[in-house]
Amino acid sequence: KDDKKDMGHVMEPFVYDARDQFIGWEKKNFFLPCERANLFLCLLERICQVGENGVSSAMIPQLLHEGSIEALVPTHDEDTAKDLLKQAVTKTQEATGGWIYAIIFSPVHGIRRYFGSEVAYYFAWLDFFTVWLTCPAVVGFCLWYFRGSEYTVDDSPYIPLFSLLVIFWSVLFLKYWDRKAAALACQWGELDADQREQVRPQFYGETRISPITGKPSLYFSSSQRAPRYVFSVLVTGLMLLVAFVVMCGFLNLEGYVHKNSPLHIPFLARMGEPDGVFWVGDDAGILGNIIGMVPVVAHSLVILLLNNQYRSVAEWLTELENHQYEHEHEYSLVTKRFLFEAFDCYVAL
């Protein structure tokens, strides 16, 4: 098992044959609740089956992929969860000297003991991000409050300085979060933990004898995957073009595109100009304001629709790329979705 345990001065992966060297191995709670669940999951995932091509593959992931099994999740131990989180809140209060801190911030260590490190890192990041947002929030509030009656937030002369502050803040935030994450990893014994991944059951390729293990294994070369990457880029680019054209149409309807702009579409722009269908003048009543909001609401709905449609396309493209390991598959999928949704949502700004 790869879980690291205390040997007195260092954290080392627990080995059953060397159990006497680990502090407290004979105790009932030697393994954390999350580690016990993970151990059981590892035992299930190591049940292998040999296919017709002679390649051994994990049976449980294959059954999940085929739909024979809907999900594989551990059951909750409500008493243990409540006790662990209560203890974590109490320890946080004792360490910081205040209940306010313990109430506002997440009991990260208790979450890690019960739910595991991946979930705990998420809550640790939320707490860290919340604290670091204090700086730009305070500066932004002061900028708004002391801007002067002749200025708005948009034309304040201090906006460039605030933008520069945010740039430096974002760089420092990432650096200090790396330090925080490394400190947590060291504290939890995961700083240099090995990641041993099973081959994805969806992965396919040519059956070859592995030069390392001497056993049959599947092989899919980078040259075979390269054209699929190109196809993914082309399909994503086509959908981004559709999103861009839709955005231009709605910006014309909202009256934001000038006549000299290459994005100007005359018959749509006329609807957002004075006396147009969607023009909202100073004397517009309630009905006029509602009608004027139609392009904005419709644009938001179309963005949501395009994002939902691209999620299915991104999953299909990522499956087509035929990644061998889960982390490669997830990285490719997240990259596609982030780039598309960021462009679709914010390019209008």
Side-chain angles (χ1 to χ4, degrees):
K1 175 66 180 121
D2 291 337
D3 289 323
K4 290 192 174 182
K5 290 298 180 180
D6 192 0
M7 294 186 67
H9 301 284
V10 294
M11 300 287 284
E12 290 290 338
F14 178 74
V15 180
Y16 183 77
D17 292 338
R19 57 190 180 278
D20 292 335
Q21 301 180 29
F22 292 84
I23 297 176
W25 71 270
E26 71 282 354
K27 295 180 180 179
K28 181 179 179 181
N29 61 347
F30 177 67
F31 286 110
L32 301 177
C34 64
E35 292 173 341
R36 290 198 296 267
N38 192 42
L39 279 169
F40 188 69
L41 178 62
C42 288
L43 291 174
L44 291 177
E45 288 182 342
R46 289 186 179 183
I47 302 175
C48 296
Q49 59 182 356
V50 179
E52 296 179 356
N53 55 4
V55 177
S56 176
S57 62
M59 184 173 67
I60 296 297
Q62 184 66 39
L63 293 175
L64 287 169
H65 175 64
E66 294 173 354
S68 302
I69 298 177
E70 184 175 347
L72 189 66
V73 295
T75 57
H76 274 291
D77 185 345
E78 295 184 2
D79 294 335
T80 302
K82 291 179 181 179
D83 290 342
L84 287 173
L85 295 181
K86 184 178 179 180
Q87 293 172 13
V89 171
T90 303
K91 289 180 180 179
T92 303
Q93 188 269 337
E94 293 174 352
T96 59
W99 279 104
I100 295 179
Y101 186 96
I103 293 174
I104 293 177
F105 294 98
S106 308
V108 175
H109 296 288
I111 292 173
R112 183 250 171 180
R113 288 174 60 85
Y114 186 73
F115 292 101
S117 300
E118 290 186 4
V119 178
Y121 276 120
Y122 170 75
F123 284 95
W125 182 87
L126 282 182
D127 290 345
F128 190 82
F129 187 49
T130 301
V131 172
W132 271 71
L133 281 177
T134 305
C135 174
V138 171
V139 175
F141 175 80
C142 294
L143 179 66
W144 168 80
Y145 188 79
F146 298 106
R147 69 187 185 279
S149 57
E150 69 275 16
Y151 297 112
T152 65
V153 174
D154 295 326
D155 59 11
S156 172
Y158 300 106
I159 287 295
L161 295 178
F162 181 72
S163 302
L164 187 63
L165 170 68
V166 171
I167 293 174
F168 282 107
W169 172 88
S170 60
V171 173
L172 291 175
F173 168 77
L174 292 175
K175 293 296 183 182
Y176 276 88
W177 167 246
D178 287 342
R179 292 181 59 181
K180 177 67 174 179
L184 290 174
C186 184
Q187 186 176 359
W188 294 340
E190 300 175 349
L191 191 59
D192 298 313
D194 295 330
Q195 295 184 353
R196 301 177 181 177
E197 288 191 87
Q198 295 278 355
V199 175
R200 296 176 64 246
Q202 301 92 330
F203 177 71
Y204 57 89
E206 179 186 355
T207 303
R208 289 186 176 183
I209 301 299
S210 172
I212 299 175
T213 63
K215 298 179 181 179
S217 62
L218 296 176
Y219 176 77
F220 194 80
S221 66
S222 300
S223 59
Q224 291 175 286
R225 188 174 289 111
R228 304 183 183 210
Y229 280 139
V230 174
F231 181 71
S232 294
V233 171
L234 293 176
V235 173
T236 302
L238 180 61
M239 292 201 66
L240 286 174
L241 179 62
V242 172
F244 182 76
V245 171
V246 170
M247 178 208 68
C248 291
F250 279 107
L251 289 180
N252 277 272
L253 288 176
E254 296 168 29
Y256 289 126
V257 182
H258 300 289
K259 292 182 179 180
N260 296 329
S261 172
L263 305 180
H264 186 259
I265 305 175
F267 76 95
L268 292 178
R270 282 194 292 269
M271 298 182 186
E273 295 174 351
D275 299 328
V277 176
F278 301 116
W279 173 256
V280 180
D282 295 335
D283 56 348
I286 297 178
L287 181 61
N289 281 278
I290 293 175
I291 294 175
M293 290 294 294
V294 169
V296 179
V297 175
H299 191 193
S300 301
L301 294 176
V302 171
I303 287 176
L304 292 176
L305 178 63
L306 287 174
N307 288 344
N308 287 331
Q309 291 296 321
Y310 184 73
R311 289 176 189 177
S312 301
V313 174
E315 291 175 0
W316 173 67
L317 291 173
T318 308
E319 286 287 349
L320 189 64
E321 291 167 3
N322 191 30
H323 294 283
Q324 185 173 8
Y325 297 107
E326 191 65 35
H327 77 274
E328 298 172 343
H329 179 87
E330 291 181 357
Y331 180 80
S332 179
L333 179 61
V334 169
T335 301
K336 292 184 185 69
R337 287 190 53 184
F338 173 78
L339 292 177
F340 182 87
E341 294 182 19
F343 179 90
D344 194 21
C345 293
Y346 301 115
V347 70
L349 300 178

